[in-house]
Amino acid sequence: MSATAAEPTAGRRRLGIPVVVLALAQLVISLDYSIVYVALPEIGTGLGFSDHDLQWVVSAYVVTTGGFLLLGGRAADLLGRRRMFVLATAIYAASSLIGGLAQSPGVLLAVRAAQGIGGSLLFPATLSLINTTYAEGPVRNRALAIWGAAGAGGLCFGSLLGGVLVHGYGWPSVFLVNVPVALALAVLGRMLFPADPPRDRTRRFDAAGALAATAGLTLVVFLLVYAPAQGWTRSASLAAAGMGLVFLVLFAAIERRAPDPLVPVRLFLNRGLVMATVVAALFSATFSSLPYFLTLYFQAVRGYDAFVTGLCFLLPAVVVAAGTQAGPPAVARLGMLRLLVGGLAAGAVGALALVPAVSSDGSYLSLLPGIVLISLGQGSAWTALWIAAASGIAPGDQGIASGIASTSLQVGGAVGLALLVAAASGIGQQSSAADLLDGIRTALFVMSGALALGALTALMARRATSS
């Protein structure tokens, strides 16, 4: 059963205001990941974070988002997409308000964890609303392009907005800005989206599987964020590894016996979803990690303040948005796999072009060829990724399908950033300029190689499929 067959009237619908609301929701998710980057120095100074602990302002969000996404995806399918959308935006509003008023590191980290839970509910609800509102094909592809522009562009635009806000109003503003936006989204979601149908009592919510998967994934993501910097033999690393493995094994055992499992095995017979899951991990490990290293370069090497650093991300945001809009017509003309190969290859060349441009006295203009190539690749690959993840998935499984792909996205980001920072010799805000330059160049080399390998793998998959 396909989404198109289940909803024959969806193809005749115009995009309308709902896609704008869904795109704004995706923008909030992306902004919350990236907006804090340029604010980290002021957050560290204002709340007394050590340089060692400051990374957890970002990592706490990543850990909880990655751990709860499967739960959020199935909740959207079984408990209601609109209901989850409204709940998630309300969580964002409340946690952001507390974050802006935080006076201690512990409170702020708890806020970032709560925002991550909000993201894990909002992302699959938003994506499944798109995939069940608009029929598979050109209409849905256009909707995904608008949604994708907000998401991919937000990764860059967050740094720009964060720089402007920190420069003018201080670090609390990067949290407080979410409050009115999230509240507006909650109200609009309640008004615009159709009421959730009565719950299908023949389908059970796999509570035991959801709890086991959430605990296991949260511990694994924590391990992947914590261990590369602190050591794999630390007691916290060993405990997270052991307990994470126990919960994931328990999850597998529960799923084998569950009449309505959290993650139906049939979904992994869908080649588009499998490919999207793999590409999502690579995408997040590379493209989504780049702002971290560019922020270090602009602030710690070049000495730019938060405002100027934010302006440096304006062009990437615009180019990424352009790349997402080019995605749907490119899919129609070139096909999904060709667009993915092209996007990953463009990112590989762009990262390599940045290596010689990153220097202690280089100009911003010297960075532009690499930045433009990476941003175009990021935008086009992002749109193709989510079109692939939704293709051929029944409406009742759209939430968990998006949860699977987005879990891979979050875990890939946690693993990728941790590995890239480790490859860059653990550079941070307090590293010397020489160490930063060497580390950033190393990270760019690794990033380029990973993207090139991904493009080659996707090309081989295309040839295997066509043969």
Side-chain angles (χ1 to χ4, degrees):
M1 178 180 179
S2 70
T4 306
E7 300 189 5
T9 61
R12 297 194 293 270
R13 302 180 67 170
R14 295 181 180 273
L15 296 183
I17 297 177
V19 76
V20 177
V21 174
L22 293 168
L24 285 174
Q26 177 61 14
L27 181 64
V28 168
I29 297 172
S30 295
L31 286 177
D32 263 9
Y33 176 79
S34 60
I35 197 171
V36 299
Y37 275 127
V38 296
L40 286 178
E42 289 204 15
I43 291 174
T45 302
L47 294 183
F49 275 95
S50 66
D51 190 49
H52 171 270
D53 293 331
L54 191 58
Q55 65 160 329
W56 284 99
V57 177
V58 175
S59 298
Y61 183 83
V62 173
V63 168
T64 52
T65 303
F68 282 77
L69 271 166
L70 285 181
L71 174 61
R74 210 45 167 170
D77 287 333
L78 299 183
L79 304 181
R81 300 178 184 94
R82 187 182 77 168
R83 188 174 292 115
M84 289 300 103
F85 183 92
V86 173
L87 174 62
T89 48
I91 291 174
Y92 262 118
S95 58
S96 297
L97 177 61
I98 297 171
L101 303 175
Q103 298 294 317
S104 69
V107 171
L108 190 66
L109 293 182
V111 162
R112 290 294 285 167
Q115 287 180 326
I117 294 174
S120 70
L121 298 176
L122 185 58
F123 191 102
T126 300
L127 189 55
S128 60
L129 279 168
I130 286 181
N131 293 332
T132 54
T133 301
Y134 305 104
E136 186 174 325
V139 175
R140 183 193 290 174
N141 292 352
R142 292 203 313 272
L144 284 171
I146 295 172
W147 175 87
L155 293 175
C156 295
F157 183 68
S159 298
L160 169 63
L161 179 61
V164 172
L165 290 173
V166 171
H167 179 79
Y169 306 102
W171 70 262
S173 61
V174 302
F175 293 94
L176 296 176
V177 70
N178 279 330
V179 178
V181 178
L183 288 175
L185 286 173
V187 173
L188 289 171
R190 180 79 178 178
M191 293 171 55
L192 290 174
F193 302 131
D196 297 313
R199 183 181 170 187
D200 184 355
R201 297 297 177 180
T202 64
R203 302 184 68 185
R204 299 180 182 179
F205 187 81
D206 182 15
L211 291 172
T214 299
L217 286 171
T218 301
L219 287 165
V220 168
V221 177
F222 170 82
L223 172 69
L224 295 172
V225 171
Y226 177 86
Q230 303 304 316
W232 293 91
T233 58
R234 295 285 294 270
S235 57
S237 299
L238 295 174
M243 293 301 296
L245 179 61
V246 168
F247 277 114
L248 291 179
V249 170
L250 178 61
F251 170 66
I254 292 171
E255 294 299 278
R256 289 183 60 186
R257 294 174 173 82
D260 196 0
L262 180 71
V263 182
V265 176
R266 65 179 180 275
L267 292 180
F268 294 101
L269 300 177
N270 183 296
R271 290 184 178 181
L273 178 59
V274 172
M275 178 179 64
T277 300
V278 174
V279 173
L282 176 63
F283 182 99
S284 190
T286 53
F287 289 120
S288 299
S289 298
L290 182 63
Y292 174 82
F293 294 99
L294 287 182
T295 299
L296 280 178
Y297 174 66
F298 291 138
Q299 291 189 330
V301 176
R302 301 309 306 275
Y304 299 162
D305 62 17
F307 177 72
V308 176
T309 297
L311 289 179
C312 290
F313 285 95
L314 176 60
L315 179 64
V318 172
V319 178
V320 166
T324 60
Q325 296 310 297
V331 167
R333 294 177 185 177
L334 303 175
M336 192 78 61
L337 281 173
R338 285 182 179 175
L339 184 59
L340 281 174
V341 170
L344 296 175
V349 175
L352 195 60
L354 280 177
V355 174
V358 171
S359 63
S360 58
D361 56 357
S363 67
Y364 183 72
L365 290 176
S366 65
L367 300 172
L368 292 186
I371 285 177
V372 169
L373 278 172
I374 288 177
S375 300
L376 281 174
Q378 179 179 349
S380 57
W382 178 262
T383 302
L385 160 66
W386 296 110
I387 293 174
S391 298
I393 302 295
D397 289 327
Q398 284 289 346
I400 190 59
S402 62
I404 291 170
S406 52
T407 296
S408 179
L409 187 79
Q410 291 296 325
V411 173
V415 175
L417 183 58
L419 292 179
L420 287 171
V421 170
S425 301
I427 55 173
Q429 291 284 345
Q430 296 181 0
S431 301
S432 68
D435 289 341
L436 283 169
L437 287 173
D438 288 341
I440 293 169
R441 289 172 186 147
T442 299
L444 289 170
F445 269 123
V446 174
M447 196 179 299
S448 177
L451 286 168
L453 181 60
L456 180 61
T457 302
L459 181 61
M460 293 172 62
R462 175 178 173 271
R463 289 179 177 176
T465 302
S466 60
S467 62

